[in-house]
Structures are given as C-alpha cells and as structure tokens.
C-alpha cells in the first residue's frame, strides 16, 4: 500500500524571525528555510513503515513556491520514493483549507491508504491541515501520534493527549498527524542526497487539480508581541524570596 | 448572532478550559450556547447550565460519544451547526483535534489559538512560536475558532440558569474505535490552570534528580510541575508536562524556570506568565531576557535553599 506524506517549507526553527516594520508580515527574505520539523518525523515514519514492508511506496508532496522542490528532495533523501509539487504563486498566502483541498485531489489521484502529516507547521502554528484533509476525504483521523502500528486493514495509533496517552484503532484508509516523540528522524547522508536528485519530481498547478486556493482569512496586520519589561538580577535566594513576597506579591 | 461553545468535559464535570472558551465566545457579541456531547454527561450539562452568560445548553447523549472520537464529535457539531455564527472550541488537545474537521466539513477556514477577540469577525493570534501577533479577519459566514485559554478569564461557574435541551445524537462513524488510555496520575494542580508552576530543564540530569529537587519546591508552593522539551525528550519528565509551542501554553502568576536555557520553543509556552523567575548558572541563558527575577546560581544548591527560605 501507498502513503502520501505532505511536507512544508518553513523558516528554520532556529531562526528568530523579525516582524516587518510596515506590519504586513514577518521578514522571510534571506532567512534559512528548512523542512517543518513535524514533517521530517512524518517522512521518517513512512520510511520506517516501508522498511518494515508495510508500505510499498512513499510519495512526498509539498504545496507552495518553486523552492519547495528542495524540501521535497530532502524528503526523498530521507526515503520517499517520488515527489509532487503543487506550485503556487509567490504572492499567494496558502492556507490550511486550501492545502487540504489540494491534498484531497492528490489522494483521489494517487489512491494511498495512509496520509501522514506533521501535527502543525511552526510558522502559522495552525494545527489544522491533517484534520481538514481527513474530513474532506471522510476518513478517520489520529492526531498527535506517538506510536503507529499497521495490522491488516487497521492501524493502531497511540496519541498524546492532555493528561497522558490514548490509543485508537482506525480502519484504513486513514490520516495520521505526527507528534514530536513518534520517532527521531535520520540524518540524510550524502549518497542519499545524490540518489534523491535522480528520483521523480512532478510539478502540477492548483488549476490542474481543479482547486480554488484563494485565502478565506485575511491578514490585516502582523505586529510584535508585547515586550516584557526588563527584569532584575538577584544576588541570592533570600533576596529572591523577599522580592517575590513584598514586591511581586506572588507567594 | 449566536456562538456555540463545544465543551470539553469528563462527563461528570466541565474541564476548566471550557470556562475560558465561554468568555471568548461571549466577546464575539451574541448569545452563547454550549454543546455537551458525551455519554451519561448530565452532570457536565448541569454545570454548563449554571455558568453565567450561557443562554442554552444542548445535550447529546449516546455511547458512541463517550470516548470523544473526532469523527463522531465533529458529526455531532455539524448536525446542529446551522444557525450559529461562531463555533468555538478550547485550543486543547481535544479542541484542536475536532475543530478543523468541523471547519472543513462546513467548507470554512478556521482561526486557531485566538488570544483576543477584536470584533465578531476579527481576531488576534500568535504565529511563529509567539514571535509575532497576527490580526486576522475571517471572510467566511461561519467562524470556527479555537481559543487559547490563557488569553481569556474563566467565566463564573454560577449565576446562570440556562435550559438544558436534549438533541438527537449522531450515529457512530464506525471508522475509529477507542482502545485504551494511560492517564498520568497527578495530585497537583492542572498545569494549564495552576497559579504557580515550577518547571525544570535538561540541567536536572535525570528523572530522579528532577523529582528530588523540584518536587519539594512545588509542594511548598502548591505548584504544578512543568518541563522543557529537552527534559521531556531526555525522559526526565512525562510528555504532558511539556511547556512550549508544541506542548502546553501556560500563563500562571508565578513561573519558576530551573535549569531551562529558554529556547524560542519554550518561551512561546510561558512568556505571558505574570512573574517569571529564572534560576540558571549560565549568565548567557536566553531565559534571563524574559525573567523578572534572575538568579545566576547552580540549581542544585539554589532550589533546596529556596525551599528552606520559604520555611
């Protein structure tokens, strides 16, 4: 069976982003971009399922600008067999609902039994796409997965929930979103990067898939978060306790 | 204009996050109704009816709603969604699981993690791990929102007298089933609701040290225990203690960070705390840039001394 693994190109998690002074967004010109960390976990999980013989093919998908090809090459260096880029214009703000619709069109075409996504992208912090895709397909979902076991036409998923863990069993086909502790993604090696360059990368447009990708949410402004006023250094524990009692009055 | 709040509950009682969500829903400008979808959840429905500002409680009762599976709860919300201008969920593991499913079925976008309601269609939400605040306007007829609970005060649990109305439960989707759960036992206050949080990082060195050093301080202060992602990944603390962009978002009165460097990921989860205390022996640790009180010291000496000083 096949799996589809959507991956997103985002500002690298180590970069401290700056808000543009005109309030139109954050400045992402000339900053380092990488694969969204949760998506790396998704590609790793699909690759491991293939290595176990559960999957026969892993297809990486990305939606966005031309440069997302680099992200797809990384996915193929980890272990994806081929890739599809749904290329959109650079000035378009692609939102989760539009991505979910694009992915649905690809699922209809490729007929995978499993779609594995990251639980959220670290740029828009939405945490929506996987659930929306499951809804559009009418498939069951298991979000925030920390363990995945496929057995026959079922998949058993342990999920991280508030207060602990819960285990669900879904009937395939299904959508899974990954949490941090699902696995540790492997490092891509130079030979695998070279091999990934030879793998197929197909480019399609949203119009080819018949999907309207216009945004439904308008960003009016992007601003700095409120600054905290500068704190003070305390020399010892006694001073700290005194300050907390008399100045901050929190204990 | 009426908002429907999808309550999070354990059937007998409401979870705290529901109260903050009701406050946010009320700020959207119309009546507030609450949906209790569950099994034998009359207790939660009664509790919802007593909340100040709630106009009506809708109660769907069926065994297939007992485990709060996303497929069934989303279908239940969809069954009654027409006529509501806002569908409002808490941004908890449960709300985040269900809300986007509802939004997609209605063919509308969702606004996640709302921290401020500016108008019926305009909201503020943090992006890039809280390093920027976006003001967004929803162009859809129905607004589907998840609410960051730390952004809103909890609604009063008494003073309301809403009618409880039974609604027909949807059929089981048959596509997913509940196998089991492992809920961590915890006598401490719930992390997201605690007034004081004592949080530890990788510097604690081991799970034993984590408990040995931080537990007495948490006990003394009646605090919840939290952890950085590094401490959780290293196995020093359970997953659900993680504070950060991808863990819990907290805003207590007092947050004590011991041996936490203060990565962007962690700061995103706690920088709205009223008072932040950082104990770290590295003078360059980024946590000191957000701390109100910084103590440059070895936590293995400072924390026990702090317990002693508190008497």
């Amino acid at each position: 069976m096949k799996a589809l693994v959507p991956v997103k190109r985002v500002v690298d998690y180590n970069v401290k982003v700056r808000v543009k002074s005109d309030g139109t967004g954050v400045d992402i010109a000339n900053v380092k971009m990488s694969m969204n960390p949760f998506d790396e976990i998704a590609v790793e999980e699909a690759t491991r399922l293939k290595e176990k013989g559960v999957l026969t093919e892993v297809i990486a998908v990305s939606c966005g600008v031309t440069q997302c090809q680099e992200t797809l090459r990384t996915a193929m260096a980890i272990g994806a067999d081929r890739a599809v880029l749904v290329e959109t214009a650079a000035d378009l703000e692609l939102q989760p609902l539009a991505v979910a619709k694009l992915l649905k069109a690809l699922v209809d075409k490729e007929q995978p039994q499993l779609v594995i996504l990251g639980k959220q992208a670290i740029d828009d912090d939405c945490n929506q796409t996987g659930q929306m895709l499951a809804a559009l397909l009418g498939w069951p979902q298991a979000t925030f997965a920390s363990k995945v076991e496929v057995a026959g036409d079922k998949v058993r998923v342990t999920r991280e929930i508030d207060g602990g863990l819960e285990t669900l069993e879904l009937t395939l086909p299904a959508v899974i979103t990954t949490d941090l502790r699902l696995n540790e993604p492997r490092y891509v090696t130079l030979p695998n990067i070279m091999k990934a360059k030879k793998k197929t990368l197909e480019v399609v447009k949203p119009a080819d898939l018949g999907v309207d990708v216009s945004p439904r949410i308008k960003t009016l402004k992007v601003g700095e978060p409120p600054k905290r006023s500068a704190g003070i250094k305390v020399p010892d524990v006694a001073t700290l306790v005194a300050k907390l009692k008399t100045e901050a009055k929190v204990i | 204009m009426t908002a429907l709040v999808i309550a999070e509950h354990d059937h007998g009682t409401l979870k705290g996050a529901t109260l903050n969500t009701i406050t946010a829903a009320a700020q959207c400008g119309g009546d507030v109704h609450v949906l209790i979808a569950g099994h034998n959840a009359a207790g939660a429905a009664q509790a919802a009816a007593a909340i100040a500002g709630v106009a009506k409680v809708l109660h769907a009762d069926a065994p297939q709603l007992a485990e709060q599976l996303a497929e069934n709860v989303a279908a239940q919300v969809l069954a009654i969604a027409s006529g509501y201008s806002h569908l409002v969920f808490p941004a908890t593991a449960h709300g985040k699981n269900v809300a986007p499913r509802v939004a997609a079925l209605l063919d509308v976008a969702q606004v996640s993690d709302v921290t401020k309601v500016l108008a019926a269609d305009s909201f503020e939400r943090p992006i890039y791990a809280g390093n920027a605040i976006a003001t967004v306007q929803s162009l859809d007829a129905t607004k589907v929102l998840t609410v960051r609970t730390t952004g809103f005060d909890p609604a009063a649990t008494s003073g309301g007298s809403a009618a409880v109305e039974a609604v027909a439960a949807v059929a089981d989707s048959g596509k997913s089933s509940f196998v089991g759960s492992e809920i961590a036992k915890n006598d401490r206050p719930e992390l997201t609701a605690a007034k004081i949080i004592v949080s530890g990082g990788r510097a604690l060195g081991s799970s034993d040290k984590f408990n040995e050093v931080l537990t007495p301080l948490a006990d003394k202060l009646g605090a919840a225990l939290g952890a950085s992602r590094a401490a959780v990944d290293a196995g020093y603390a359970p997953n659900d203690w993680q504070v950060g962009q991808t863990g819990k978002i907290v805003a207590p009165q007092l947050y004590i960070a011991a041996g936490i460097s203060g990565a962007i990921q962690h700061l995103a989860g706690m920088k709205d705390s009223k008072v932040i205390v950082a104990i770290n022996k590295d003078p360059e640790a980024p946590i000191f840039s957000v701390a109100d009180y910084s103590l440059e010291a070895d936590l293995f000496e400072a924390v026990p001394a702090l317990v002693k000083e508190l008497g």
Side-chain angles (χ1 to χ4, degrees):
Chain A
M1 86 186 174
K2 287 203 264 187
L4 200 69
V5 184
V7 295
K8 185 175 185 182
R9 177 178 178 265
V10 297
V11 170
D12 189 87
Y13 73 97
N14 283 312
V15 173
K16 182 147 174 23
V17 294
R18 282 212 324 272
V19 172
K20 286 195 222 167
S21 51
D22 64 359
T24 55
V26 301
D27 193 359
I28 57 165
N30 305 318
V31 302
K32 187 182 175 207
M33 306 292 280
S34 302
M35 190 191 298
N36 181 45
F38 293 101
D39 303 348
E40 275 187 64
I41 296 171
V43 180
E44 174 67 33
E45 193 65 19
T47 305
R48 288 186 190 187
L49 287 172
K50 195 184 162 198
E51 288 165 352
K52 277 187 208 155
V54 173
L55 295 174
T56 50
E57 191 182 32
V58 176
I59 308 159
V61 180
S62 195
C63 304
V65 294
T66 316
Q67 290 89 329
C68 295
Q69 292 194 15
E70 291 163 27
T71 316
L72 289 169
R73 292 286 172 204
T74 308
M76 289 190 284
I78 296 172
D81 297 290
R82 61 187 170 92
V84 181
L85 169 64
V86 182
E87 194 176 340
T88 57
D91 57 353
L92 175 84
E93 188 189 335
L94 204 51
Q95 294 176 345
L97 183 61
V99 174
K101 287 180 178 176
L102 291 170
L103 294 174
K104 179 187 185 286
L106 288 173
V107 168
D108 291 343
K109 196 171 137 198
E110 300 282 355
Q111 297 287 316
Q113 289 291 97
L114 206 52
V115 181
I116 310 179
L117 308 87
K119 79 163 173 180
Q120 81 189 53
I122 59 166
D123 52 0
D124 61 22
D125 284 335
C126 276
N127 196 330
Q128 300 174 3
T129 309
Q131 296 90 313
M132 286 182 158
L133 175 62
L136 296 176
L137 290 166
W139 290 6
Q141 69 185 48
T143 50
F144 323 139
S146 61
K147 193 173 172 198
V148 174
E149 296 162 290
V150 179
D153 66 341
K154 307 262 187 199
V155 58
R156 197 171 267 228
V157 182
T158 301
R159 308 176 54 227
E160 293 194 9
I161 55 169
D162 297 333
L165 299 169
E166 91 174 4
T167 305
L168 301 181
E169 192 169 77
L170 314 180
T171 306
L172 294 171
V175 173
I176 294 171
T177 75
T178 63
D179 214 324
L180 279 172
R181 278 158 287 270
L182 180 57
N183 61 50
E184 185 124 345
R186 69 195 67 184
Y187 285 105
V188 294
T189 59
L190 190 59
N192 285 341
I193 292 171
M194 300 312 288
K195 274 186 224 155
K197 287 186 180 163
K198 296 208 180 74
K199 293 182 180 175
T200 322
L201 196 163
E202 182 193 351
V203 180
V204 297
K205 301 275 184 193
D208 303 336
L209 300 170
V211 175
D212 172 17
V213 290
S214 52
R216 305 282 196 83
I217 290 176
K218 198 165 138 190
T219 301
L220 303 176
K221 193 178 83 181
V222 175
E224 295 267 359
K227 287 258 184 299
R228 290 188 73 92
S229 51
I232 56 164
K233 265 211 152 88
V234 290
D236 52 37
V237 169
T239 319
L240 175 62
V241 172
K243 293 270 187 202
L244 289 177
K245 279 187 173 153
T246 57
E247 201 175 272
K249 297 191 174 66
V250 284
I251 55 172
Chain B
M1 214 166 58
T2 309
L4 179 67
V5 169
I6 292 75
E8 186 168 357
H9 60 87
D10 62 4
H11 303 279
T13 57
L14 289 174
K15 297 257 174 87
T18 305
L19 302 174
N20 310 74
T21 308
I22 287 169
T23 302
Q27 290 178 8
C28 293
D31 276 351
V32 176
H33 293 181
V34 175
L35 170 68
I36 306 284
H39 189 42
N40 298 328
Q46 288 307 325
I51 294 169
V54 172
K56 198 196 309 186
V57 175
L58 303 171
H59 183 197
D61 184 355
Q64 63 269 24
L65 294 169
E67 306 299 347
Q68 305 282 302
L69 298 169
E71 296 76 19
N72 293 344
V73 177
Q76 185 67 55
V77 176
L78 204 71
I80 59 166
S82 66
Y84 288 104
S85 57
H86 295 74
L87 301 173
V88 194
F89 298 74
T92 53
H94 177 250
K96 289 173 180 177
N97 191 33
V98 178
R101 202 166 169 110
V102 172
L105 293 171
L106 289 169
D107 192 25
V108 301
Q110 176 191 315
V111 184
S112 294
D113 265 310
V114 168
T115 48
K116 207 181 265 183
V117 175
L118 303 172
D121 65 349
S122 305
F123 313 94
E124 273 187 15
R125 61 178 302 265
I127 53 174
Y128 287 91
N131 285 304
I133 307 293
T135 305
V136 298
Q137 183 183 22
S138 166
L139 306 176
D140 287 309
T142 307
K143 277 69 175 160
V144 176
L145 314 173
T146 64
V147 169
R148 180 167 288 193
T149 53
T150 57
F152 299 88
D153 293 330
T157 51
S158 60
S161 54
V164 177
E165 187 180 296
V167 293
V170 293
D172 189 6
S173 80
K175 287 177 175 165
S176 66
S177 59
F178 177 80
V179 178
S181 65
E182 261 178 72
I183 301 299
K185 281 209 181 64
N186 203 344
D187 302 330
R188 303 186 174 284
E190 200 197 335
L191 194 54
T192 49
K195 293 221 163 6
I196 302 180
I197 295 173
V198 173
S199 208
R202 201 194 331 242
L204 268 306
S206 72
S207 159
D208 290 346
K209 281 279 172 203
F210 196 99
N211 288 315
E212 185 188 315
V213 176
L214 297 187
T215 307
L217 180 59
D219 286 344
K220 186 69 83 185
L221 295 166
L225 279 167
S228 70
R229 178 178 158 186
V232 171
D233 282 350
Y236 305 166
N239 296 349
D240 53 309
W241 287 11
Q242 185 188 317
V243 171
Q245 181 188 20
T246 59
K248 301 272 169 67
I249 313 287
V250 300
Q253 294 286 306
L254 173 61
Y255 188 90
I256 301 179
I260 292 178
S261 64
I264 298 174
Q265 206 287 133
H266 187 75
L267 299 184
M270 47 63 80
K271 66 188 164 82
D272 292 326
S273 304
K274 185 163 173 271
V275 173
I276 298 173
V277 170
I279 302 170
N280 205 303
K281 62 180 176 187
D282 174 11
E284 304 294 321
I287 190 81
F288 285 140
S289 67
V290 300
D292 299 277
Y293 300 105
S294 303
L295 179 62
E296 192 189 319
D298 184 347
L299 75 94
F300 293 105
E301 287 161 20
V303 174
L306 191 52
V307 176
K308 216 164 161 194
E309 187 72 28
L310 288 165

